[in-house]
Amino acid sequence: MSAAGSLLTVAPVAAMLLLVRATRPHDAVTAPLRLAVVRAALVTGAFAVLTVELLGALHALTPAAFAVAWLLFLAVAALAAGWRHRRDVARDEATPSAAPRQALVAAATAPTTDTVGVLSPPGAHPASAGSATGPDRLGWRARLGRHWRTASRGERLLAGGVAGLLLIELVVALLAEPNNFDSQTYHLPKVERWVLQGGLEFWPTAIHRQVTIPPGAEYLLLHLRLLTGGDALYNLVQWGAGVLCLLAAARIAAQLGGGRRAQLLTAFILATTPMVVLQATSTQTDLVVAAWAACAATLALDGLHRRTGLGTLFGLGAAAGLTAVTKTSGLIGVGPLLVLWGLAQLRLARRPATASSGVTDAAHPPARTVGVARTVGASALILLVAATVVGPFLARVTVEFGHPLGPPRLRESIPMERHDPLAILVNGLRIAHTAFDTPLTPVRSATATAIIKGAEAVGVDPQDREITFGREIFPEPSWYPDEDRVAFPLAGALALLGAVFALARPWRISPDRAGSLRAYAAVVAATVALHVAMIKWQPWGNRLLLYALVMAVPLAGVWLDAMFRRRTASAGAPGRRSIAVLAAVTVLATSALAGVLAVSYGFPRRLVGSGSVFTTAEWDTRFLRRPQWTDEFRWAAEAVRDSGARRIGLVEQNDNWEYPWWLLLRDADGRPPELVALQSVLPDRPPAEPSSVDAIVCTGPRAACVRLVPPGWQVEYRAYVGYALPPGR
């Protein structure tokens, strides 16, 4: 990484911090600082995506163009933050009745009667913690100090656990080279292809996912690639997305009536989920889409009790668009959220315009019409903003394949092809089995057998290709801490229980927000139902559910908090409630252990043991998924480099690794090779002629390679990798 590139990477972070200052809400809202972070993240994410689209259309995907774009964005963010600061100072000077800072600090730190037990603060009532009743004039250091001083021992443990995991994950993310399987196949090769051609137009390839899968997360990686010249910081995109998930989920818990403990419980459960821990150091895309969906959720909840302002409308549109351009399955969650928001806005539009004045709504019938029209217009604006973000990519896909969702092989491989109730039921049971998998082999075998026999009894083949991805066979163990498939039985069970109680007895969990809690739980339930009705079972389907888990965990946080409150209220009457609390504490402790084990021993990036980020060499880390391929790739690349070849043909299959070639075939100055595909699954993008290249590199079966090698060329092959050179090279 160059020195200039290192400095430029500070620009996105600095710009986002300035935007947090510029977008902090003026009025009293729940968790205003976290709301500002959500707003800043959406603005920064939308800018990053639209910058790629604009510069790609101009064939200007170059380091210089991106450096200029970020410096301009940083300048605009600084101006916005400065304007906001001056405005706040002017408002403070114009408000003579504002309380002195000392009085606010004293009031904030004064102890009050506590009724929520050993995990609760000696401050505000849990239902109001995290909410603002007026402008918070304390600095962030004062607020942090206040929270720490008033926190109970249990809350400090929760907060310390979350912070410790995030710090360790940051270390792993910085030390480990990208080694995710899908990233080697299509996530990272598409970034290198954009850099090579300077634009976003599609190219001939044997791996259709390089052009058909939405590229939102890779757009973010492209910025780092062009600013730094390499992939050293790639893992930070998912790490940052994980932090955003925690902040947004904790704010959702506050919006549902949860106090500080409920918010910490939410963050703790999510942070210790092995799938979150492992993906936070990866170049996968699931945490990114989960973060955008969580942003949409928290903004939509703001619209349940108040009319949505213009800025929030743009935020909802950006969240929907960023979700769609990252992974379309995330829209399964965003869609119901927007429906909930729209219904709430229509309900607010039907309220009397001047309820406090005693004027009835019947006396002003146009008010309802205006309110409904405003809601319709706001919905149209959200869709317009979303289309602006995702539209250019969908337009390219539509032009190329005649359908916005890509070619038939993509539309038929992942989405369900049967929608009869029994098929959906079987699919849902298989997805649940994989999501709740545990190391207990007898339990796993018994439940899998019951699902298979039950499916056969109702006339549904449990391996039906119309409800099963590819050639995969159910069941497949998923308890092991692997980033692509690890189950989440603890977080999933807590979220499930929280959703059930939120639907059945919301007033016992959150008396002040019972309606919001039940409505949100209904949205989460609808999201899960839609997911199992639309997405086929697959062994790595747990990571596709991550966005739904992030949306659901706040229900677990507020439910657990309510249970702890009720336990304290009935402390003199031991019984079932004490047993339930003991069970909950045990689950939380087990969750903490699962998170620690995942970051310590998880695959394919771990702290200790074989493959540790501290003891494993760079190329060994990159090939931890397939260590037997390390020497083969390097052997072939060395031979091709020694031949002096610059235009190199690729022979590969749909799931082969391409990214190592982009790294190993660079010249001494770091200039990427000109790699061209000798096969193409894009009908209108013919492959290069084998005779037009200087060398050929192959992965997969030798026979597939030999068929494309021109006569007279020398072919060398090992088990998985080979190369071919023309005579004289």
Side-chain angles (χ1 to χ4, degrees), residues 193 197 201-207 211 400-401 647 649-650 674-690 692-693 708:
R193 181 66 61 180
Q197 62 191 25
E201 64 272 10
F202 292 160
W203 56 90
T205 177
I207 304 173
V211 295
E400 189 74 29
F401 300 105
R647 181 176 167 86
L650 285 173
E674 183 185 357
L675 296 179
V676 295
L678 301 185
Q679 309 142 288
S680 178
V681 295
L682 278 65
D684 298 326
R685 306 277 176 176
E689 290 292 333
S692 70
V693 300
L708 293 170

Side-chain angles (χ1 to χ4, degrees), residues 404-493:
L405 297 181
R409 66 183 300 175
L410 178 63
R411 303 198 304 271
E412 296 169 0
S413 61
I414 297 177
M416 287 276 285
E417 297 178 84
R418 286 182 59 179
H419 297 92
D420 54 286
L422 290 177
I424 293 173
L425 175 62
V426 171
N427 191 54
L429 290 173
R430 295 182 307 165
I431 289 175
H433 176 274
T434 305
F436 289 89
D437 193 17
T438 70
L440 303 175
T441 302
V443 175
R444 181 191 319 122
S445 300
T447 54
T449 300
I451 292 171
I452 292 173
K453 291 186 178 298
E456 293 172 346
V458 298
V460 177
D461 180 2
Q463 316 300 346
D464 186 351
R465 296 303 101 188
E466 293 186 336
I467 61 173
T468 306
F469 180 86
R471 299 178 181 177
E472 305 301 326
I473 302 297
F474 174 83
E476 184 73 24
S478 60
W479 62 269
Y480 183 80
D482 183 303
E483 66 174 352
D484 284 337
R485 63 178 65 195
V486 62
F488 35 81
L490 298 177

